[in-house]
Each structure stands twice: as structure tokens, then as C-alpha cells.
Amino acid sequence: MGKFYVTTPIYYVNDAPHIGHAYTTTAADVVARFHRQLGDEVFFLTGTDEHGNKVEQAATARGVTPRQHADEMVGKFKEVVRKVDATNDFFIRTTDAEHEAFVQRFVERCRENGDIFEGSYSGLYCSACEAYYIEENLVDGLCPDHGTAPSFMEEKNHFFRLSAYQDRLAQHYRANPDFVKPRHRYNEALSFIDQGLDDISISRATLKWGIPVPWDHSQVIYVWVDALINYLSALHYAPGDDLVSRFWPATYHMMAQDILKFHGIIWPALLLSAGYELPEHLFIHGYLKLGGEKMSKTRGNVMDPFPLIEEYGPDPFRFYCFREVNFGQDGMVGEDSFRARYNAELANDLGNLLSRSVSMIVKYRGGAVPAPAGRTPDSSPLVADAAAAEATAKSRLEEMELTGALEAIWEFVRRLNRYVEEQAPWKLAKAGEDAALDGTLYDLAEGLRVLAVLLHAYMPGTSREIMSRVGQTAEIADFAWQEASWGRLEPGATLVAGAPLFPRIEIAE
Ligand code: ME8
């Protein structure tokens, strides 16, 4: 048994959550659930980033205080977690008093270690990124990520000696080639380090909405420093015993590439300065794009997954996310492709497999799973396919290949459908070939049970439903990964017929 600590970014509350937030949270949930299935001790953290310019501006625009704004918005982000059926262990808000106090202690430690000094800064600031830009990194004078014009800022600030960590960071990257995954993101971060690191301003003088710098209350701590520390502060006050010693360092921080530099460079440097171990891995997934562009709140081109979840439940959305877009790469999403995939793969492949298997067992064997006559349960022709699906899904999930693992599971779904065609139980029944029919029906029920274990992390509700339809009560089926091995279904289990799992979506011409 190992430990597994996974985090999502903490999301800005300047605007409503969108599919990108639901995506990272779902991805983290899939791996958290998978590691629980393996028997690992798991801690899964998500939350909201509530300080800074962006949030202050959003509140001002609405005529409310930043605190009121954050309190209102946080409900929507918590709702996303519930809607996608995520099983986070804690939800951190950076306005939690415990987080604020921890951040202050953390930066004090960096200061005691000689890494913080006073200086002044002037430059072009993009408030959507909460970061300074140098002119040559702008595109036609505009922020490359947000397409908005940065404004000139000049301030006396407290600085963090990031430059002092350049060599140690580069060494850490070279000694840990899987620190950042996938590989091209690792290369990107390392080449950024190799180009040389400048010291960074870690406080803001003009902003009020933030955590006060403990030794200079005229300034607040830079929102990115405040935010990054959440991954560690949460373990100090979330419910649970000894969370810091049990779970730090984090196993995976998950995010998209927009915030790689903050996590791949500033965060490890801050940790080194304050004397903490570095996270084991960052996993950088791609952007979901709509109409060819990255979705973003600032650009206003978002696909709203929540009506789809209302209508079809969380599982089809969870499935679609990792099936449609290769996890780790950018990819297009849209409601049409959601519906097409739902019909082809959920209604047809999986839904039909379940309903026809159950109805044949009801029709030919009164709804009780027959014992495979004349052979042991594990001499089925499907044993090797089930074992391959299990082994491949496991190794891919361990490597965060969420799309590859799901493909291995789906290959098994397709195999089961082919098996129905090959065996043609209706012909066996007609010909009175009882032993062959018993074996086939047992295999279908057992194949579905194995599938329920393998699919559990992706589609928890569906997986529970399949288990109960093949007669497995919640106590028998704890979804432990080892339950995916073939032959554990007891003959005699009583099947439960039910409505189609995924009724087809009628698509208007
Ligand atoms: O950056 N496709 O918050 P944020 C995929 N508060 N993922 C997407 C996405 C898209 N189109 N859009 C957003 C912040 N995401 C900071 C983080 S962490 C210490 C502070 C996801 O609300 C993805 O995970 O802008 C991305 O990294 C994150 O949302 C950015 O969320």
C-alpha cells in the first residue's frame, strides 16, 4: 500500500466555473479513485484562489466587496465538484484564516533564509495572468494568453531571490526526468530554467485584497505565492491525522500548460527556500478547445458542461472528457461530438452489451447466473482478454495515461460484444446446447462484473449499476482493483433487469 496525494489548481473565483475546471477536477478524481481501488492511502485536494487583482476587479465591477464576491462564487465551484461526482478530501479556500496564517509563516521562513529583499519594479502587467511581461513576449503589444493590453506598473516591492535557485532547480530536473510529465512539458520548463531566472516580486503595494506581508502591512503577498502554498497549507488544517507527514510531498499536481512555469519553477524554488521536499510530479494536461481556441473566461468562448451533466448524469461527461481528447494533449470538444460519442459508445457498445446480456440470462436461465458446465469459471476464452485489459489499464493509469487506459477498457467492451456475436446464445438455446450456453452466459455476466471494476474510476455511477445488475451487492463489490481478476463471480447470483443505462439521444437532423 502506498500513498497518493493529488491536487488540482485552485481556481480563480473572478468568474463562473467552466468545462476546463470540471476537466482537471474530473481527471484528478479518476486517478484518486483508481489509487483507492489499489488500496493506497489517498488525499485529493481542490479549491479556490480568491485573492488578487483579478478577483478584486470582478468584485468592483459588480459593486460588492471581494469577500462578498468570493463567498458567492465559491458555492459554484463547490457545486462543480459535486456535479462531476468528484471525491475530494478537502476544499481549500485561500481566504481560510489557517491558510493565510500559514502563508505568512512560509514567507517568513524564506526571509529568514535570506531569500527575500526589497527592490522596485516597473513593467507591463497583465492582470488576467497576474504576471509581468517583457515587451518581446507580447503579441502585437497584447498578452499572448488573454489578448488584452497589459498596463504599466511601477512599485516598490519585496522580491524573492529566484535566481539563487537556478542551479538547484536545473539539477533537480536533470536528476528527476519525470518531475514534469509529459516529456515535452518537462523540456519546456527545463529550457526556461536554462535561459536564466530573474528574481521575482512577491508583494503588491497597490492592491488591498490579499494576505498582508507579515513584516510590512502596507503590502500584500503576490497572489501566486499565496496560491501555490495552498498545496501544503491545506495538509496543516484539513480534517485528518498527521496529513503533512502522511502525504507531503504531493504525488501529482495536475493542471494545464498555462500555469506550468508557476508550478515548475516558482513553486519548487519557494519550497527549497522554506526547507520542504519537492512534489514528486507535475502532470500537465492539454487545453480543451472550442472552435479552435483555448476556452477561457476572459475570452468568453466556453462550452457549458453543466446542462449536459444535468441531463445525462456525470458519467457520460466524465467518459467523454478522456475519450474525446487524448489526455496530455490539446483537443476540440463540443456538444455534437458529445452526443455522437454517447450514442455510439455508451448507448450502443456498453448499454446494449449490458441489456442484452442480462435479458438473455433472464430469458434462458430465469435470471440466475449459471455455473459454466464442464469447465472451471477461469477457463473461459475471455480470460486472456480480461487479464490484458486489466494489466494495460492499470499500467496506463499509473502513468496518468487516462485516454490510453480507457481505450484498453473499451477494447474489452468491444471484445464482449464480439463474443455475443460469435457464440450466438440464441442459436445455442435453439440447438439445446446447454453446456455451451451456460458457459457463454456465465462469461458475459463475469465480463460485465470485471468491466464494472475497471470502469469504476471513470464512471462510478455506471459501475455501481452494472455491479448491482449482475447481482453483486455493495458489500461484495468494493471495487478493489484486485476484484478485476476473472472467475470471482459466484454462479447463482441473481441478475436484476432494468431500464437502459444510456437511452439513445435523438439527434435532430
Ligand atoms: O490559473 N482546458 O486558475 P484558473 C483545460 N488560480 N483545462 C483548463 C482550461 C481549458 N480550456 N481552462 C482552464 C489559475 N483549465 C490559478 C491557479 S494554482 C496554485 C492557482 C483548468 O481558474 C486547467 O487546470 O485560471 C488550468 O491550469 C486551470 O483550469 C486554470 O484555472
Side-chain angles (χ1 to χ4, degrees), residues 9-12 18 20-21 23-24 49 224 227-228 230-231 255-256 258-259 263 285-288 294-295 297:
I10 47 171
Y11 306 115
Y12 283 130
H18 59 71
H21 303 127
Y23 183 57
T24 315
D49 187 355
W224 264 106
L228 288 163
N230 91 88
Y231 302 127
M255 72 205 75
D258 49 347
I259 54 180
H263 286 78
H285 62 64
Y287 289 140
L288 300 185
K294 175 201 167 197
M295 273 182 278
K297 288 176 285 200

Side-chain angles (χ1 to χ4, degrees), residues 151-170:
S151 45
F152 185 78
M153 292 236 299
E154 184 161 26
E155 285 192 353
K156 195 164 116 311
N157 287 151
H158 301 281
F159 279 71
F160 174 71
R161 233 178 269 289
L162 185 62
S163 58
Y165 288 92
Q166 168 154 354
D167 292 345
R168 284 175 71 187
L169 286 176

